[in-house]
Structures are given as structure tokens and as C-alpha cells.
Amino acid sequence: MRKLLYMAGISLALGNMSPAQAMTVLELDEPRPVTEEAAEARQLGQAFLQTASEMWMLLSGVSCKQDADAAAARFSELVRITFELDNRLSSLPLIAPEAECVGMMDSVQLRILETMDDLHVEFLSICRARCYGSEPLVKAFEQAIELGMFAEEDRELLESPGAPLSEEEARAEIARLDRLEEPDKEVLQVLETVMDEEAASKAAVKLTSLSLQLKPLVPAADMEHREFAPEAAAAAQAVLAPLEPILWAIRSEIVRIAALPGYEAETYDDFSVALDLVFESLGATHTNLFDSVFDASFRTDLDNALRENSISSQ
């Protein structure tokens, strides 16, 4: 995962937008290209961005088998279009290095990367739900993976779930989840102290340490994405219940910090790097809850906070 807030700040400086906003864009705001190759690249880049954004919006509306069945054919069509656009972009000759052309293409590429990140979040979320039992969407997802649009390891999430955790495995997993509450609270407390760049510098050191504390709490590979047996479900829910509101509070603090005056400056870079480390650790340790809290709307909220920050600082 790229540096979450640091990279978002860079893309904001280049005019980055959320997928929903990208859907309405017909013209990018950078200077017009000065070569025929750059003009074609810009046109293809816009088409790629809008296609990926439509795909994101399509998947974000899938929440049941009926939705999944209805979305399968259009998703396959959008994958085909994206694949063709990617091939056409790849076949273009290198663009002459005029500064304005390079800046324009960098901006388009960053917008595409951000949109693809959000798309991948939705894709993984539906994979974990195994496409809500929709065989057409499973096949469409598998095709997208085969074309290289998503990682090969994502295919594992589409497979039938393994056997429920055994009694011994369930006890171990519940104990692991129970140990997450304390470091989660510490992460939240550290983020709550960040009001300016000085506090952010101090928080960076603490966040780096907390990311290391979380690493030993990552579940074993053979325990991931397996469900609890009915007899262990109540005990599991008891340890999961207090974790979810903490994660939501962490999400709110990240968005708040992104709106701090001057956040896009280099003085916050160390903090952003440390926050990204913690963010990755939270994702690895909270596989039961993470995607439902830090979903695609989180990236939109983050982009909006950064954009408002940029406007207010002008």
C-alpha cells in the first residue's frame, strides 16, 4: 500500500479527485498537450479513468446476490474496455518531455492509481462475501484476475470458505482479538494529540512503535477468513464489539488530521509514513472489521478533507 496520507497530499496538489467526482469529468484541467501523442494519451487516460470510476460505482452498489447477478455482465464489459484501453496506452510511443505534458500525464496517472485503489477496496470486500453467492459475478471477477487487473492472491477469497475454526483454534483467535483492544486505544490516543506539525513529529515516533507492537498480533495464514463455529460466535462477538468503535474513531481522527492547516507540507511527511505503517498493521490484524470501517467512503472523506484544506490555505 502506498503512503496513505502522503500520497493523497501529492495527488491533491496535482488535482486529484475521488472516483465519484471523476465520473463527472469530461476535461482535465491541465494545459492542453502540445504533441499528437500527448493528445491521444490524454484522451485514453480520461477514458481509462472514467471506465475505472464507473466500475467502482457499479461495485459499490453491490450488497446482495440480486445486485451481484445484475452487475456481472456490465462489470465484464468494463473489464474488457479497461483491458483494451490499457493495451492502447501501452502501445503509444514515449511522449516528448515537455514540462507541461509530463505534469499532465503524472496527474492523470495519479488519478488512475487512486481510483484503482478504491476499486480494489470494493473488489476485495465483495470477494470476501464471495460475491454473495452470485456465480456470474464470481466468473467475472476470476476473468478480471486472469487479465491481471487484480492480484492473483485475491482469487483465494473467491474460493469456498474452509472449515470453521476448531474449538482450539477459536480459543486462540478470540485471545488474539482480545489483545488488540489495548494497542488500538493507544493508536487512537496518539492520533488525538496531533494538532500541529510539532505534535505530529512526536506522534510519528509513537506510531512507529505501535506498528511494531501490532505485528505479532497478525493472524496465522491458515486462520484468516475462516469463520467461527456457531458455539464460539457469541464469545467472538464479545471481543470484536469494543474494537469496531475504536476503529471508527481512528478513521475520524485520520480525516481530521488530513484537514489540519499545512498538512500537505513536508513537515508532516514523517508522520504520514508512520501513520501508513500503523494503517497497514491495523489492516493485517483486524481482518474481521477493517474493510467495513475503512471502505471506499473513507478515501472520499480523506480526499475531501485534503481538498478543503488546500482551498482554505490559498
Side-chain angles (χ1 to χ4, degrees), residues 1-42:
M1 182 179 123
R2 297 192 321 281
K3 300 298 178 285
L4 178 70
L5 298 181
Y6 179 60
M7 286 303 300
I10 292 175
S11 58
L12 172 70
L14 293 172
N16 184 46
M17 58 190 65
S18 68
Q21 291 168 314
M23 280 294 294
T24 65
V25 172
L26 295 178
E27 288 292 335
L28 300 178
D29 53 7
E30 293 80 4
R32 289 186 177 276
V34 297
T35 67
E36 183 177 343
E37 291 84 359
E40 185 176 3
R42 177 180 180 175

mmCIF file of all heavy atoms in Angstrom, residues 1-42:
data_model
loop_
_atom_site.group_PDB
_atom_site.id
_atom_site.type_symbol
_atom_site.label_atom_id
_atom_site.label_comp_id
_atom_site.label_asym_id
_atom_site.label_seq_id
_atom_site.Cartn_x
_atom_site.Cartn_y
_atom_site.Cartn_z
ATOM 1 N N MET A 1 0.834 -1.189 0.000
ATOM 2 C CA MET A 1 0.000 0.000 0.000
ATOM 3 C C MET A 1 0.869 1.240 0.000
ATOM 4 O O MET A 1 1.853 1.299 0.719
ATOM 5 C CB MET A 1 -0.883 -0.001 1.242
ATOM 6 C CG MET A 1 -1.841 1.147 1.350
ATOM 7 S SD MET A 1 -2.799 0.967 2.840
ATOM 8 C CE MET A 1 -2.431 2.491 3.649
ATOM 9 N N ARG A 2 0.515 2.263 -0.810
ATOM 10 C CA ARG A 2 1.308 3.467 -0.827
ATOM 11 C C ARG A 2 1.106 4.231 0.466
ATOM 12 O O ARG A 2 0.193 3.984 1.225
ATOM 13 C CB ARG A 2 0.877 4.356 -2.009
ATOM 14 C CG ARG A 2 1.114 3.717 -3.338
ATOM 15 C CD ARG A 2 0.944 4.741 -4.439
ATOM 16 N NE ARG A 2 -0.159 5.647 -4.189
ATOM 17 C CZ ARG A 2 -1.425 5.354 -4.397
ATOM 18 N NH1 ARG A 2 -1.761 4.155 -4.807
ATOM 19 N NH2 ARG A 2 -2.377 6.237 -4.172
ATOM 20 N N LYS A 3 1.986 5.212 0.732
ATOM 21 C CA LYS A 3 1.850 6.051 1.895
ATOM 22 C C LYS A 3 0.515 6.767 1.816
ATOM 23 O O LYS A 3 0.329 7.671 1.006
ATOM 24 C CB LYS A 3 2.996 7.058 1.977
ATOM 25 C CG LYS A 3 4.350 6.381 2.056
ATOM 26 C CD LYS A 3 4.462 5.527 3.314
ATOM 27 C CE LYS A 3 5.789 4.809 3.380
ATOM 28 N NZ LYS A 3 5.864 3.674 2.471
ATOM 29 N N LEU A 4 -0.401 6.397 2.702
ATOM 30 C CA LEU A 4 -1.802 6.770 2.556
ATOM 31 C C LEU A 4 -2.013 8.273 2.459
ATOM 32 O O LEU A 4 -2.511 8.784 1.471
ATOM 33 C CB LEU A 4 -2.598 6.203 3.734
ATOM 34 C CG LEU A 4 -4.070 6.547 3.736
ATOM 35 C CD1 LEU A 4 -4.764 5.809 2.616
ATOM 36 C CD2 LEU A 4 -4.680 6.201 5.058
ATOM 37 N N LEU A 5 -1.617 9.016 3.491
ATOM 38 C CA LEU A 5 -1.884 10.442 3.502
ATOM 39 C C LEU A 5 -0.854 11.211 2.700
ATOM 40 O O LEU A 5 -1.165 12.204 2.057
ATOM 41 C CB LEU A 5 -1.911 10.960 4.944
ATOM 42 C CG LEU A 5 -3.000 10.354 5.818
ATOM 43 C CD1 LEU A 5 -2.945 10.967 7.204
ATOM 44 C CD2 LEU A 5 -4.372 10.581 5.222
ATOM 45 N N TYR A 6 0.379 10.789 2.726
ATOM 46 C CA TYR A 6 1.432 11.476 1.986
ATOM 47 C C TYR A 6 1.129 11.459 0.492
ATOM 48 O O TYR A 6 1.180 12.479 -0.192
ATOM 49 C CB TYR A 6 2.772 10.799 2.265
ATOM 50 C CG TYR A 6 3.937 11.410 1.530
ATOM 51 C CD1 TYR A 6 4.267 12.743 1.724
ATOM 52 C CD2 TYR A 6 4.706 10.649 0.662
ATOM 53 C CE1 TYR A 6 5.341 13.309 1.063
ATOM 54 C CE2 TYR A 6 5.773 11.211 -0.005
ATOM 55 C CZ TYR A 6 6.097 12.542 0.204
ATOM 56 O OH TYR A 6 7.151 13.085 -0.453
ATOM 57 N N MET A 7 0.788 10.287 -0.043
ATOM 58 C CA MET A 7 0.488 10.188 -1.460
ATOM 59 C C MET A 7 -0.798 10.922 -1.804
ATOM 60 O O MET A 7 -0.919 11.519 -2.868
ATOM 61 C CB MET A 7 0.381 8.724 -1.886
ATOM 62 C CG MET A 7 1.711 8.030 -1.981
ATOM 63 S SD MET A 7 2.842 8.859 -3.121
ATOM 64 C CE MET A 7 1.921 8.756 -4.650
ATOM 65 N N ALA A 8 -1.769 10.910 -0.889
ATOM 66 C CA ALA A 8 -3.005 11.645 -1.146
ATOM 67 C C ALA A 8 -2.711 13.136 -1.239
ATOM 68 O O ALA A 8 -3.294 13.850 -2.049
ATOM 69 C CB ALA A 8 -4.032 11.373 -0.041
ATOM 70 N N GLY A 9 -1.783 13.626 -0.423
ATOM 71 C CA GLY A 9 -1.398 15.024 -0.482
ATOM 72 C C GLY A 9 -0.740 15.369 -1.795
ATOM 73 O O GLY A 9 -0.994 16.424 -2.382
ATOM 74 N N ILE A 10 0.118 14.496 -2.298
ATOM 75 C CA ILE A 10 0.769 14.728 -3.584
ATOM 76 C C ILE A 10 -0.266 14.766 -4.696
ATOM 77 O O ILE A 10 -0.268 15.657 -5.540
ATOM 78 C CB ILE A 10 1.798 13.626 -3.877
ATOM 79 C CG1 ILE A 10 2.972 13.748 -2.901
ATOM 80 C CG2 ILE A 10 2.305 13.733 -5.311
ATOM 81 C CD1 ILE A 10 3.975 12.634 -3.045
ATOM 82 N N SER A 11 -1.178 13.784 -4.697
ATOM 83 C CA SER A 11 -2.163 13.726 -5.776
ATOM 84 C C SER A 11 -3.113 14.908 -5.701
ATOM 85 O O SER A 11 -3.604 15.377 -6.724
ATOM 86 C CB SER A 11 -2.945 12.411 -5.712
ATOM 87 O OG SER A 11 -3.583 12.257 -4.475
ATOM 88 N N LEU A 12 -3.369 15.416 -4.478
ATOM 89 C CA LEU A 12 -4.211 16.591 -4.343
ATOM 90 C C LEU A 12 -3.552 17.782 -5.022
ATOM 91 O O LEU A 12 -4.193 18.545 -5.734
ATOM 92 C CB LEU A 12 -4.448 16.904 -2.869
ATOM 93 C CG LEU A 12 -5.167 18.241 -2.605
ATOM 94 C CD1 LEU A 12 -6.604 18.132 -3.070
ATOM 95 C CD2 LEU A 12 -5.098 18.603 -1.147
ATOM 96 N N ALA A 13 -2.249 17.929 -4.825
ATOM 97 C CA ALA A 13 -1.536 19.045 -5.431
ATOM 98 C C ALA A 13 -1.635 19.005 -6.947
ATOM 99 O O ALA A 13 -1.568 20.036 -7.618
ATOM 100 C CB ALA A 13 -0.069 19.015 -5.001
ATOM 101 N N LEU A 14 -1.838 17.829 -7.504
ATOM 102 C CA LEU A 14 -1.956 17.680 -8.953
ATOM 103 C C LEU A 14 -3.408 17.645 -9.412
ATOM 104 O O LEU A 14 -3.699 17.320 -10.556
ATOM 105 C CB LEU A 14 -1.244 16.399 -9.404
ATOM 106 C CG LEU A 14 0.260 16.416 -9.223
ATOM 107 C CD1 LEU A 14 0.839 15.045 -9.520
ATOM 108 C CD2 LEU A 14 0.896 17.460 -10.133
ATOM 109 N N GLY A 15 -4.316 17.942 -8.476
ATOM 110 C CA GLY A 15 -5.716 17.995 -8.882
ATOM 111 C C GLY A 15 -6.444 16.697 -8.752
ATOM 112 O O GLY A 15 -7.396 16.436 -9.472
ATOM 113 N N ASN A 16 -6.017 15.818 -7.829
ATOM 114 C CA ASN A 16 -6.657 14.500 -7.718
ATOM 115 C C ASN A 16 -8.100 14.624 -7.269
ATOM 116 O O ASN A 16 -8.492 15.577 -6.617
ATOM 117 C CB ASN A 16 -5.884 13.661 -6.699
ATOM 118 C CG ASN A 16 -6.432 12.267 -6.622
ATOM 119 O OD1 ASN A 16 -6.687 11.640 -7.635
ATOM 120 N ND2 ASN A 16 -6.597 11.770 -5.420
ATOM 121 N N MET A 17 -8.896 13.624 -7.623
ATOM 122 C CA MET A 17 -10.301 13.636 -7.264
ATOM 123 C C MET A 17 -10.741 12.231 -6.905
ATOM 124 O O MET A 17 -10.074 11.264 -7.235
ATOM 125 C CB MET A 17 -11.156 14.161 -8.416
ATOM 126 C CG MET A 17 -11.014 13.374 -9.702
ATOM 127 S SD MET A 17 -11.810 14.204 -11.069
ATOM 128 C CE MET A 17 -10.809 15.673 -11.189
ATOM 129 N N SER A 18 -11.881 12.168 -6.201
ATOM 130 C CA SER A 18 -12.426 10.874 -5.825
ATOM 131 C C SER A 18 -13.072 10.227 -7.040
ATOM 132 O O SER A 18 -13.378 10.894 -8.026
ATOM 133 C CB SER A 18 -13.475 11.060 -4.723
ATOM 134 O OG SER A 18 -14.598 11.728 -5.256
ATOM 135 N N PRO A 19 -13.332 8.899 -6.988
ATOM 136 C CA PRO A 19 -13.968 8.229 -8.121
ATOM 137 C C PRO A 19 -15.310 8.842 -8.497
ATOM 138 O O PRO A 19 -15.614 8.994 -9.674
ATOM 139 C CB PRO A 19 -14.127 6.786 -7.632
ATOM 140 C CG PRO A 19 -13.025 6.619 -6.649
ATOM 141 C CD PRO A 19 -12.915 7.956 -5.961
ATOM 142 N N ALA A 20 -16.113 9.200 -7.495
ATOM 143 C CA ALA A 20 -17.421 9.764 -7.803
ATOM 144 C C ALA A 20 -17.274 11.082 -8.556
ATOM 145 O O ALA A 20 -18.027 11.375 -9.488
ATOM 146 C CB ALA A 20 -18.213 9.986 -6.508
ATOM 147 N N GLN A 21 -16.280 11.895 -8.152
ATOM 148 C CA GLN A 21 -16.050 13.145 -8.860
ATOM 149 C C GLN A 21 -15.499 12.888 -10.250
ATOM 150 O O GLN A 21 -15.837 13.580 -11.203
ATOM 151 C CB GLN A 21 -15.071 14.015 -8.072
ATOM 152 C CG GLN A 21 -15.669 14.539 -6.768
ATOM 153 C CD GLN A 21 -14.611 15.142 -5.890
ATOM 154 O OE1 GLN A 21 -13.560 14.554 -5.709
ATOM 155 N NE2 GLN A 21 -14.887 16.302 -5.365
ATOM 156 N N ALA A 22 -14.643 11.881 -10.359
ATOM 157 C CA ALA A 22 -14.035 11.591 -11.653
ATOM 158 C C ALA A 22 -15.081 11.210 -12.679
ATOM 159 O O ALA A 22 -14.909 11.434 -13.873
ATOM 160 C CB ALA A 22 -13.013 10.464 -11.520
ATOM 161 N N MET A 23 -16.216 10.642 -12.240
ATOM 162 C CA MET A 23 -17.261 10.234 -13.164
ATOM 163 C C MET A 23 -17.821 11.422 -13.938
ATOM 164 O O MET A 23 -18.332 11.290 -15.042
ATOM 165 C CB MET A 23 -18.400 9.559 -12.399
ATOM 166 C CG MET A 23 -18.112 8.115 -12.040
ATOM 167 S SD MET A 23 -18.002 7.078 -13.506
ATOM 168 C CE MET A 23 -19.696 7.174 -14.081
ATOM 169 N N THR A 24 -17.759 12.648 -13.337
ATOM 170 C CA THR A 24 -18.349 13.812 -13.976
ATOM 171 C C THR A 24 -17.353 14.582 -14.817
ATOM 172 O O THR A 24 -17.708 15.566 -15.450
ATOM 173 C CB THR A 24 -18.926 14.760 -12.903
ATOM 174 O OG1 THR A 24 -17.843 15.277 -12.109
ATOM 175 C CG2 THR A 24 -19.895 14.029 -12.000
ATOM 176 N N VAL A 25 -16.094 14.152 -14.840
ATOM 177 C CA VAL A 25 -15.060 14.912 -15.530
ATOM 178 C C VAL A 25 -15.052 14.581 -17.014
ATOM 179 O O VAL A 25 -14.962 13.432 -17.399
ATOM 180 C CB VAL A 25 -13.674 14.618 -14.934
ATOM 181 C CG1 VAL A 25 -12.587 15.272 -15.791
ATOM 182 C CG2 VAL A 25 -13.605 15.175 -13.522
ATOM 183 N N LEU A 26 -15.126 15.590 -17.812
ATOM 184 C CA LEU A 26 -15.007 15.401 -19.247
ATOM 185 C C LEU A 26 -13.695 15.988 -19.753
ATOM 186 O O LEU A 26 -13.160 15.546 -20.759
ATOM 187 C CB LEU A 26 -16.189 16.065 -19.973
ATOM 188 C CG LEU A 26 -17.557 15.454 -19.669
ATOM 189 C CD1 LEU A 26 -18.643 16.218 -20.412
ATOM 190 C CD2 LEU A 26 -17.593 13.989 -20.058
ATOM 191 N N GLU A 27 -13.184 17.010 -19.051
ATOM 192 C CA GLU A 27 -11.929 17.629 -19.442
ATOM 193 C C GLU A 27 -11.063 17.786 -18.207
ATOM 194 O O GLU A 27 -11.521 18.277 -17.184
ATOM 195 C CB GLU A 27 -12.175 19.020 -20.054
ATOM 196 C CG GLU A 27 -12.808 18.975 -21.431
ATOM 197 C CD GLU A 27 -11.869 18.401 -22.483
ATOM 198 O OE1 GLU A 27 -10.650 18.480 -22.297
ATOM 199 O OE2 GLU A 27 -12.376 17.879 -23.487
ATOM 200 N N LEU A 28 -9.807 17.362 -18.276
ATOM 201 C CA LEU A 28 -8.870 17.592 -17.189
ATOM 202 C C LEU A 28 -8.422 19.043 -17.244
ATOM 203 O O LEU A 28 -8.471 19.692 -18.285
ATOM 204 C CB LEU A 28 -7.666 16.651 -17.321
ATOM 205 C CG LEU A 28 -8.037 15.173 -17.286
ATOM 206 C CD1 LEU A 28 -6.784 14.319 -17.463
ATOM 207 C CD2 LEU A 28 -8.744 14.815 -16.000
ATOM 208 N N ASP A 29 -7.966 19.568 -16.110
ATOM 209 C CA ASP A 29 -7.718 20.996 -16.029
ATOM 210 C C ASP A 29 -6.272 21.389 -16.313
ATOM 211 O O ASP A 29 -5.901 22.534 -16.131
ATOM 212 C CB ASP A 29 -8.136 21.526 -14.651
ATOM 213 C CG ASP A 29 -7.495 20.735 -13.524
ATOM 214 O OD1 ASP A 29 -6.632 19.880 -13.806
ATOM 215 O OD2 ASP A 29 -7.854 20.974 -12.364
ATOM 216 N N GLU A 30 -5.428 20.447 -16.739
ATOM 217 C CA GLU A 30 -4.056 20.797 -17.052
ATOM 218 C C GLU A 30 -3.984 21.423 -18.447
ATOM 219 O O GLU A 30 -4.908 21.301 -19.247
ATOM 220 C CB GLU A 30 -3.153 19.557 -17.007
ATOM 221 C CG GLU A 30 -2.988 18.959 -15.626
ATOM 222 C CD GLU A 30 -4.164 18.103 -15.224
ATOM 223 O OE1 GLU A 30 -5.065 17.914 -16.062
ATOM 224 O OE2 GLU A 30 -4.181 17.631 -14.080
ATOM 225 N N PRO A 31 -2.882 22.086 -18.781
ATOM 226 C CA PRO A 31 -2.740 22.693 -20.106
ATOM 227 C C PRO A 31 -2.854 21.636 -21.197
ATOM 228 O O PRO A 31 -2.515 20.477 -21.014
ATOM 229 C CB PRO A 31 -1.318 23.285 -20.058
ATOM 230 C CG PRO A 31 -1.032 23.466 -18.612
ATOM 231 C CD PRO A 31 -1.737 22.348 -17.916
ATOM 232 N N ARG A 32 -3.349 22.073 -22.352
ATOM 233 C CA ARG A 32 -3.505 21.140 -23.460
ATOM 234 C C ARG A 32 -2.140 20.623 -23.906
ATOM 235 O O ARG A 32 -1.156 21.358 -23.905
ATOM 236 C CB ARG A 32 -4.200 21.831 -24.622
ATOM 237 C CG ARG A 32 -5.676 22.093 -24.336
ATOM 238 C CD ARG A 32 -6.340 22.648 -25.572
ATOM 239 N NE ARG A 32 -7.751 22.842 -25.332
ATOM 240 C CZ ARG A 32 -8.646 21.879 -25.453
ATOM 241 N NH1 ARG A 32 -8.277 20.676 -25.808
ATOM 242 N NH2 ARG A 32 -9.921 22.127 -25.222
ATOM 243 N N PRO A 33 -2.060 19.353 -24.292
ATOM 244 C CA PRO A 33 -0.781 18.803 -24.737
ATOM 245 C C PRO A 33 -0.339 19.471 -26.026
ATOM 246 O O PRO A 33 -1.140 19.996 -26.788
ATOM 247 C CB PRO A 33 -1.075 17.325 -24.949
ATOM 248 C CG PRO A 33 -2.558 17.277 -25.175
ATOM 249 C CD PRO A 33 -3.147 18.364 -24.343
ATOM 250 N N VAL A 34 0.950 19.440 -26.279
ATOM 251 C CA VAL A 34 1.486 20.127 -27.451
ATOM 252 C C VAL A 34 1.895 19.146 -28.543
ATOM 253 O O VAL A 34 2.412 19.554 -29.568
ATOM 254 C CB VAL A 34 2.696 21.010 -27.055
ATOM 255 C CG1 VAL A 34 2.248 22.095 -26.106
ATOM 256 C CG2 VAL A 34 3.795 20.157 -26.428
ATOM 257 N N THR A 35 1.693 17.865 -28.331
ATOM 258 C CA THR A 35 2.023 16.885 -29.353
ATOM 259 C C THR A 35 0.818 15.989 -29.599
ATOM 260 O O THR A 35 -0.060 15.837 -28.749
ATOM 261 C CB THR A 35 3.217 16.010 -28.934
ATOM 262 O OG1 THR A 35 2.818 15.202 -27.814
ATOM 263 C CG2 THR A 35 4.421 16.865 -28.550
ATOM 264 N N GLU A 36 0.797 15.379 -30.783
ATOM 265 C CA GLU A 36 -0.295 14.474 -31.132
ATOM 266 C C GLU A 36 -0.310 13.266 -30.204
ATOM 267 O O GLU A 36 -1.374 12.790 -29.790
ATOM 268 C CB GLU A 36 -0.126 14.028 -32.580
ATOM 269 C CG GLU A 36 -1.254 13.134 -33.076
ATOM 270 C CD GLU A 36 -1.100 12.766 -34.538
ATOM 271 O OE1 GLU A 36 -0.312 13.452 -35.236
ATOM 272 O OE2 GLU A 36 -1.744 11.800 -34.977
ATOM 273 N N GLU A 37 0.892 12.743 -29.865
ATOM 274 C CA GLU A 37 0.980 11.578 -28.971
ATOM 275 C C GLU A 37 0.420 11.918 -27.595
ATOM 276 O O GLU A 37 -0.296 11.123 -26.973
ATOM 277 C CB GLU A 37 2.427 11.114 -28.846
ATOM 278 C CG GLU A 37 3.010 10.500 -30.106
ATOM 279 C CD GLU A 37 3.543 11.553 -31.056
ATOM 280 O OE1 GLU A 37 3.434 12.752 -30.733
ATOM 281 O OE2 GLU A 37 4.077 11.174 -32.126
ATOM 282 N N ALA A 38 0.760 13.111 -27.092
ATOM 283 C CA ALA A 38 0.264 13.517 -25.776
ATOM 284 C C ALA A 38 -1.243 13.687 -25.790
ATOM 285 O O ALA A 38 -1.930 13.356 -24.819
ATOM 286 C CB ALA A 38 0.943 14.815 -25.339
ATOM 287 N N ALA A 39 -1.778 14.212 -26.894
ATOM 288 C CA ALA A 39 -3.229 14.385 -27.006
ATOM 289 C C ALA A 39 -3.936 13.029 -26.950
ATOM 290 O O ALA A 39 -4.954 12.869 -26.276
ATOM 291 C CB ALA A 39 -3.562 15.105 -28.312
ATOM 292 N N GLU A 40 -3.390 12.040 -27.664
ATOM 293 C CA GLU A 40 -4.002 10.716 -27.644
ATOM 294 C C GLU A 40 -3.886 10.074 -26.273
ATOM 295 O O GLU A 40 -4.824 9.441 -25.786
ATOM 296 C CB GLU A 40 -3.355 9.823 -28.699
ATOM 297 C CG GLU A 40 -4.030 8.459 -28.810
ATOM 298 C CD GLU A 40 -3.452 7.603 -29.914
ATOM 299 O OE1 GLU A 40 -2.477 8.027 -30.581
ATOM 300 O OE2 GLU A 40 -3.964 6.480 -30.104
ATOM 301 N N ALA A 41 -2.712 10.248 -25.648
ATOM 302 C CA ALA A 41 -2.525 9.690 -24.311
ATOM 303 C C ALA A 41 -3.494 10.308 -23.324
ATOM 304 O O ALA A 41 -4.056 9.625 -22.463
ATOM 305 C CB ALA A 41 -1.084 9.916 -23.856
ATOM 306 N N ARG A 42 -3.708 11.609 -23.461
ATOM 307 C CA ARG A 42 -4.648 12.282 -22.565
ATOM 308 C C ARG A 42 -6.059 11.750 -22.762
ATOM 309 O O ARG A 42 -6.781 11.469 -21.807
ATOM 310 C CB ARG A 42 -4.609 13.786 -22.816
ATOM 311 C CG ARG A 42 -5.609 14.566 -21.968
ATOM 312 C CD ARG A 42 -5.525 16.045 -22.248
ATOM 313 N NE ARG A 42 -6.490 16.773 -21.433
ATOM 314 C CZ ARG A 42 -6.569 18.089 -21.395
ATOM 315 N NH1 ARG A 42 -5.741 18.813 -22.109
ATOM 316 N NH2 ARG A 42 -7.480 18.687 -20.645
#
